[in-house]
Amino acid sequence: MSGRSVFVFSEELLNYRFNANHPFNQQRLKLTLDLLKKNGSISDNDIIAPRTASMDELCLVHDPEYVQAVMKAGKGELSAEKGESYGLGTEDTPVFPNMHEASALLAGGTLTAVDAVMEEKAEHALHLGGGLHHGFRGKASGFCIYNDSSVAIKYMQEKYKARVLYVDTDAHHGDGVQWSFYDDPDVCTLSIHETGRYLFPGTGNVNERGQGKGYGFSFNIPVDAFTEDESWLDAYSQAITEVADFFKPDVILTQNGADAHYFDPLTHLSSTMKIFREIPKLAHRVAHQYCNGRWIAVGGGGYDIWRVVPRAWALIWHEMTENSNCYGSLPKEWLEEWQISAPIILPKEWDDPNNLYEPIPRKPEITEKNAKTLEKALYPIRSHKKLPTT
Ligand SMILES: [Zn+2]
Ligand SMILES: [Zn+2]
């Protein structure tokens, strides 16, 4: 069934909810799917339900004690003091009822996507419930409990002997995934994000390149606050192209956090819908060029759930299915339905207007700085390429 794409979804994914006021809100999954439906871009046959990750699967990267702590926390059986040592019950990652079940489903959804692609039931798979890239081996962090991408990569290594390229375009550094495979030369991670100087989690420096045998297989492009489309895309397109050519993966896993947008309330980048058109396009090209089409895409951050995330994430599906019906006006039925509950005026078009925000005064400096950062990040590949081959 070559050419087919699948969309992993069930209502139960929305059970991953810390509390009513928490910025991480999976209502965005519903908003995105409904946008695709009302746009006539998806049918019920394209949708498959996520499965739950088993204890063994979670423990491919997580400590069993940590998983047990999450189970207890979700049943109200973990003391606050114990929870804190696992990063549970913090302001960022509060405890909520049945949090293990909700988190294991979210991790399982990424495995559902992986199996669909690796067993050739689909060429591409999209699981927007995943992308929780801050989860650590034994600790929750930054809204993330289980690290679905790390679990999925380890799973692909063990079950399918695949070499995986992980590409993370969330505005925050993909730290959890990077540290999971920091010493592994069979997994290559590339993260482009707002510099950690003022932003969580603070890591993702250009000098974090891996360790031991994995040295040279971690790439980081920390861009400056207020970076705009052009400079961001310049860095991203060169990085993904050259890193893919260097690593030649069997499969690509992309994390598609949608929080690099100007409207995002938690970050300080100044991108528009333009980058969210290009991100999946380049990933798609890499998938066909190196991976026989094998491409799994997950979600991630994205905190303007009304104006940014549905459009950005719907564009991934349009790219996967090579459907260009995503220009001009958004479907009227979608706007009518959701404007009632939206606390803000919804955009009417797929693209942002050119004058979305006031000009950024430091633009030339930012652009120059990002170009230098990119040069540094890619230097090992570029300098290696220049050596004469025998
Ligand atoms: Zn983020
Ligand atoms: Zn394709």
Side-chain angles (χ1 to χ4, degrees):
M1 291 252 265
S2 107
R4 189 183 174 218
S5 296
V6 293
F7 188 101
V8 179
F9 180 80
S10 77
E11 291 276 339
E12 286 72 38
L13 288 170
L14 275 73
N15 295 342
Y16 191 90
R17 186 81 181 116
F18 296 103
N19 58 52
N21 302 315
H22 197 284
F24 191 94
N25 185 351
Q26 295 292 47
Q27 176 79 8
R28 28 189 214 153
L29 303 180
K30 253 185 126 153
L31 291 166
T32 305
L33 180 57
D34 194 56
L35 175 57
L36 290 169
K37 281 185 176 169
K38 295 210 160 72
N39 200 52
S41 304
I42 198 164
S43 74
D44 289 342
N45 296 333
D46 299 322
I47 301 170
I48 57 173
R51 67 176 173 87
T52 293
S54 69
M55 183 77 182
D56 282 350
E57 286 165 344
L58 293 172
C59 292
L60 287 169
V61 299
H62 292 292
D63 291 332
E65 301 75 45
Y66 170 60
V67 178
Q68 275 148 14
V70 175
M71 284 175 167
K72 275 193 182 164
K75 290 186 203 143
E77 293 168 5
L78 193 74
S79 71
E81 198 190 355
K82 266 245 148 177
E84 212 163 300
S85 67
Y86 292 110
L88 300 166
T90 61
E91 200 188 325
D92 270 5
T93 317
V95 166
F96 61 96
N98 301 314
M99 67 192 299
H100 166 77
E101 288 73 11
S103 311
L105 182 70
L106 202 146
T110 303
L111 298 177
T112 302
V114 160
D115 281 331
V117 167
M118 299 309 282
E119 290 169 5
E120 298 182 357
K121 290 182 190 118
E123 244 184 340
H124 316 312
L126 179 58
H127 176 231
L128 295 169
L132 301 192
H133 60 172
H134 300 305
F136 291 117
R137 166 170 284 278
K139 202 168 182 175
S141 170
F143 318 159
C144 304
I145 298 165
Y146 299 139
N147 194 320
D148 58 292
S149 296
S150 287
V151 170
I153 293 170
K154 200 81 191 164
Y155 178 83
M156 282 191 269
Q157 288 190 295
E158 301 217 333
K159 188 169 175 191
Y160 301 106
K161 311 290 170 224
R163 293 173 75 252
V164 185
L165 172 62
Y166 171 81
V167 179
D168 187 318
T169 48
D170 192 284
H172 300 92
H173 176 224
D175 56 347
V177 183
Q178 172 177 296
W179 304 130
S180 291
F181 303 101
Y182 209 50
D183 55 4
D184 187 342
D186 293 318
V187 176
C188 184
T189 61
L190 164 63
S191 180
I192 176 166
H193 44 265
E194 179 182 332
T195 165
R197 241 171 305 153
Y198 311 107
L199 188 70
F200 179 90
T203 50
N205 191 281
V206 74
N207 298 322
E208 292 164 26
R209 299 189 189 273
Q211 69 184 16
K213 285 193 174 132
Y215 186 83
F217 293 91
S218 290
F219 294 90
N220 285 289
I221 326 266
V223 297
D224 252 26
F226 308 110
T227 292
E228 295 173 84
D229 291 334
E230 227 183 4
S231 175
W232 195 96
L233 278 173
D234 189 48
Y236 171 66
S237 56
Q238 292 187 55
I240 188 172
T241 306
E242 293 179 43
V243 168
D245 188 60
F246 154 75
F247 187 66
K248 299 193 171 55
D250 298 323
V251 51
I252 177 170
L253 171 60
T254 60
Q255 193 271 18
N256 294 268
D259 47 7
H261 193 280
Y262 176 76
F263 284 155
D264 195 274
L266 299 193
T267 67
H268 320 96
L269 298 176
S270 301
S271 74
T272 74
M273 270 308 135
K274 267 188 196 149
I275 74 162
F276 299 105
R277 276 195 188 282
E278 295 304 315
I279 288 168
K281 214 179 268 179
L282 284 157
H284 196 186
R285 195 159 81 196
V286 165
H288 284 289
Q289 197 171 348
Y290 300 96
C291 313
N292 204 15
R294 287 183 288 267
W295 173 27
I296 297 118
V298 294
Y303 307 99
D304 191 320
I305 69 160
W306 300 100
R307 295 181 296 180
V308 176
V309 184
R311 290 185 297 161
W313 283 359
L315 289 174
I316 307 169
W317 180 252
H318 278 100
E319 177 59 37
M320 278 187 171
T321 55
E322 297 180 27
N323 179 349
S324 58
N325 184 24
C326 49
Y327 290 91
S329 304
L330 294 172
K332 225 168 81 197
E333 297 72 23
W334 185 81
L335 290 169
E336 276 167 7
E337 163 124 21
W338 296 104
Q339 189 59 76
I340 302 164
S341 26
I344 202 153
I345 302 287
L346 296 173
K348 307 281 184 293
E349 310 249 317
W350 283 96
D351 290 295
D352 288 320
N354 285 327
N355 58 350
L356 188 69
Y357 54 83
E358 294 289 310
I360 309 279
R362 288 183 51 244
K363 183 172 187 161
E365 287 137 82
I366 293 169
T367 303
E368 200 187 317
K369 196 152 175 223
N370 290 341
K372 278 192 182 142
T373 301
L374 177 75
E375 183 60 40
K376 255 189 233 164
L378 298 183
Y379 176 76
I381 326 185
R382 289 178 173 174
S383 60
H384 187 74
K385 261 195 149 173
K386 279 179 206 140
L387 293 175
T389 46
T390 48

